[in-house]
């Protein structure tokens, strides 16, 4: 029998039969006196195809359908009646997806009163929306979808994509996709399903995901759908908690997937790189993709060894044996770094060591505002920015002394914090880093908003980014006129840190394509002066599109994962093993190599 495909664009030209009344269907029921649903139903969702397994009569036909999966896509057979029987047909090709299925009974569900604060939910309606949603997928490690697919499907009655838009900035904060089963395959059970719920990991607004799910549920309830189903990874505790809060309940529905590269971590058993932080993990994943042997020597510290062609290179995240001890020493001491790059012609801010009170007072009087930081240190520890009061400077110097016995005081250069990743003498990525901020809702205290934002940042970065509740946070809030226990008015936005370090809750925004050539030259010049093969060069700039800058520091172990989807890990592995490029997979859809299981 020829399989009929219910495509996302089938609304144009493909006749849909009217849905018939029926009972609950986790599988296709009999329909006395009426037509059965469409046979062998499949719908393309861009990241892969959704195969409605309960519309297939024979398991062999489901296997045939799954074998049509295209490269860098991930097809899912959902509502599999007898997964053990299906797996027996192709045990080397298929596996049982370790996800739970949840259902929301729309007949009894009631939409919550009130509306989201600071953002609104609407349909995807432009190419810019499609590109923004794809960027969110990339940031969340999901299989990306060609923006053209979203655009050509915008009028589909089968697929609905809702986006959350920030009222103040117009930024797309998140998205969710819904499938109308009645239009997909004349589902007599009048079902619908939720896929690809994704919120940008740097979204400052709370409850975006919840609002998207509520909007989709309201949409399908208004259409007359009986239920809304979804599939979620069994260990995604945060998502499961949200769904259960909204009234979803577990149902015995199963999903089957193919054993492909995208799904590899779901069927290969214990991960040899389990426990690595995101900065080590991105490199290890790229190495394994090329067939390079990986040995994790200390997961907690991010140490691993890569072996290819009879040669082994030991690494700690983006720091490898290729970086010399001399280069590390230069980066380790910020005053030495400044002198080295200044001698190479890179513009640096004025700086003194905090060892003479009179000189310090004169420096503060001359510049008005200063930065205090330990001569050695990382992750923004004990760095204070924008100090203008002598007592503040003294306290900051004392705090920095707890990190390093030498403390530097530097002129405060106002602007945006630009991080450029230089690998093998080339700028691979550039991004503006912005300090952590909160947005008031008229109800929560600043402390509660900070704690909530910190939890979201920690969850999005594997625990790598959190906002400290320390003196620097209090001082930053005080400068805006608030204390930790004050309630911020609705819509009021304020920074809670002066530094843009990602480990203290900062966010990062890619500007690779728009960075001024003068800034790129400065970064390359600084890297060459230090003689370091991989580094993160920090510049303070008026704008990434303008040539003005001041060098801040160089990092010998930059976080490559912060710059996805720019090919930082690819270029790093190219540097270590140039001949492995030929073994890498052919170019594919950007970002498709990284996935989550919660499509």
């Amino acid at each position: 029998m020829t399989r009929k495909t219910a495509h996302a664009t089938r609304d144009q030209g493909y006749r849909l039969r009217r849905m018939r009344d029926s009972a609950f269907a986790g599988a296709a029921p009999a329909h006395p006196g009426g037509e059965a649903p469409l046979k062998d139903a499949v719908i393309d969702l861009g990241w892969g195809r959704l195969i409605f397994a309960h519309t297939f009569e024979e398991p062999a036909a489901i296997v045939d359908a799954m074998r049509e999966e295209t490269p860098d896509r991930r097809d899912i057979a959902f509502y599999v009646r007898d997964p053990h029987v299906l797996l027996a047909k192709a045990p080397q090709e298929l596996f049982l997806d370790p996800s739970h299925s949840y259902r929301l009974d729309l007949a009894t569900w009631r939409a919550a009163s009130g509306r989201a604060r600071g953002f609104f939910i609407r349909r995807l309606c432009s190419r810019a929306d499609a590109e923004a949603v794809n960027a969110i997928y990339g940031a969340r490690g999901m299989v990306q979808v060609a923006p053209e697919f979203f655009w050509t499907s915008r009028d589909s009655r089968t697929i609905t994509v809702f986006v959350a838009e920030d009222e103040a900035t117009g930024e797309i904060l998140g998205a969710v996709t819904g499938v109308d089963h009645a239009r997909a395959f004349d589902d007599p059970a009048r079902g619908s399903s939720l896929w690809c719920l994704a919120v940008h990991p740097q979204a400052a607004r709370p409850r975006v995901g919840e609002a998207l799910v509520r909007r989709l549920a309201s949409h399908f309830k208004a259409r007359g759908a009986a239920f809304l189903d979804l599939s979620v990874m069994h260990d995604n505790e945060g998502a499961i908690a949200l769904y259960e809060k909204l009234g979803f309940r577990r149902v015995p529905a199963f999903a089957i997937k193919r054993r492909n590269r995208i799904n590899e971590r779901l069927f290969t058993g214990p991960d040899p790189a389990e426990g690595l932080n995101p900065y080590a993990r991105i490199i290890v994943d790229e190495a394994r993709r090329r067939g390079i042997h990986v040995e994790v020597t200390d997961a907690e510290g991010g140490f691993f060894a890569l072996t290819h062609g009879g040669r082994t290179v030991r690494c700690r995240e983006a720091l490898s044996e290729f970086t010399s001890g001399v280069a590390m020493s230069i980066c380790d001491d910020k005053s030495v770094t400044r002198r080295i790059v200044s001698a190479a012609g890179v513009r640096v801010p004025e700086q003194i060591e905090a060892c003479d009170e009179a000189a310090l007072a004169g420096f503060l009087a001359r510049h008005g505002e200063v930065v205090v930081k330990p001569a050695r240190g990382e992750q923004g520890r004990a760095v204070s920015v924008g100090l203008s009061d002598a007592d503040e400077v003294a306290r900051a110097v004392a705090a920095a002394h707890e990190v390093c016995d030498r403390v530097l005081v530097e002129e405060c250069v106002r602007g945006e914090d630009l991080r450029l990743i230089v690998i093998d003498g080339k700028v691979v990525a550039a991004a503006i880093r912005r300090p952590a901020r909160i947005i008031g809702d008229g109800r929560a205290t600043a402390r509660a908003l900070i704690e909530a934002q910190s939890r979201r940042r920690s969850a999005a970065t594997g625990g790598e980014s959190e906002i400290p509740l320390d003196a620097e946070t209090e001082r930053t809030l005080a400068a805006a006129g608030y204390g930790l226990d004050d309630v911020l008015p609705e819509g009021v936005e304020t920074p809670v840190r002066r530094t843009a370090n990602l480990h203290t809750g900062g966010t990062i925004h890619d500007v690779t394509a728009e960075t001024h050539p003068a800034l790129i030259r400065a970064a390359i010049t600084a890297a060459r002066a230090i003689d370091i093969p991989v580094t993160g060069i920090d510049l303070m700039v008026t704008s990434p599109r303008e040539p003005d800058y001041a060098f801040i520091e160089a990092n010998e172990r930059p976080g490559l994962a912060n710059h996805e989807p720019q090919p930082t890990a690819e270029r790093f592995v190219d540097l270590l093993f140039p001949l492995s490029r030929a073994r890498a997979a052919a170019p594919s859809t950007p970002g498709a190599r990284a996935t989550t299981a919660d499509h």
Side-chain angles (χ1 to χ4, degrees), residues 363-515:
F363 191 85
L364 179 60
R366 185 162 65 255
H367 292 290
E369 284 189 319
V370 298
V371 176
V372 174
K373 55 188 177 183
R376 290 187 172 90
E378 58 182 10
Q379 299 183 355
R381 286 195 292 267
V383 176
S384 300
V385 178
L387 306 178
S388 57
D389 179 80
D391 290 338
E392 285 184 332
V393 172
R395 287 193 293 270
V397 168
H401 268 305
E402 295 180 6
V403 175
C404 180
D405 58 354
R406 292 175 51 239
V407 175
L408 305 176
V409 180
E410 193 172 85
E411 70 169 293
C412 184
V413 180
R414 289 295 180 180
E416 295 192 285
D417 187 326
L418 178 67
R419 163 64 65 89
L420 300 103
I421 301 297
V422 183
I423 300 178
D424 198 19
K426 301 178 181 66
V427 170
V428 177
I432 289 293
R433 303 188 301 173
R434 297 194 175 110
R437 62 192 175 99
I438 55 174
I439 302 174
D441 61 4
R443 295 175 296 178
T445 64
R447 184 191 305 273
L449 292 171
I450 291 170
E451 289 173 344
Q453 177 70 352
S454 186
R455 286 193 296 270
R456 289 193 294 273
R457 293 292 295 133
S458 179
T461 60
E464 293 293 318
S465 180
E466 296 181 352
I467 306 173
L469 283 169
D470 58 11
E472 176 69 6
T473 296
E474 290 191 69
R475 188 175 67 81
T476 306
L477 265 177
Y482 299 103
L484 284 173
D485 296 318
D486 292 337
V487 174
L488 270 66
E490 183 176 352
V492 169
E493 181 177 341
T494 181
V496 294
R497 303 291 294 184
R498 295 289 182 93
T499 60
N501 193 282
L502 298 178
H503 290 276
T504 55
T507 58
I508 189 163
H509 310 267
D510 183 74
V511 293
T512 306
E514 56 191 277
T515 301

Side-chain angles (χ1 to χ4, degrees), residues 135-150:
I136 292 173
Y137 287 175
R140 300 299 307 192
M142 298 166 64
V143 177
Q144 290 184 288
V145 177
E148 292 73 18
F149 178 88
F150 284 125

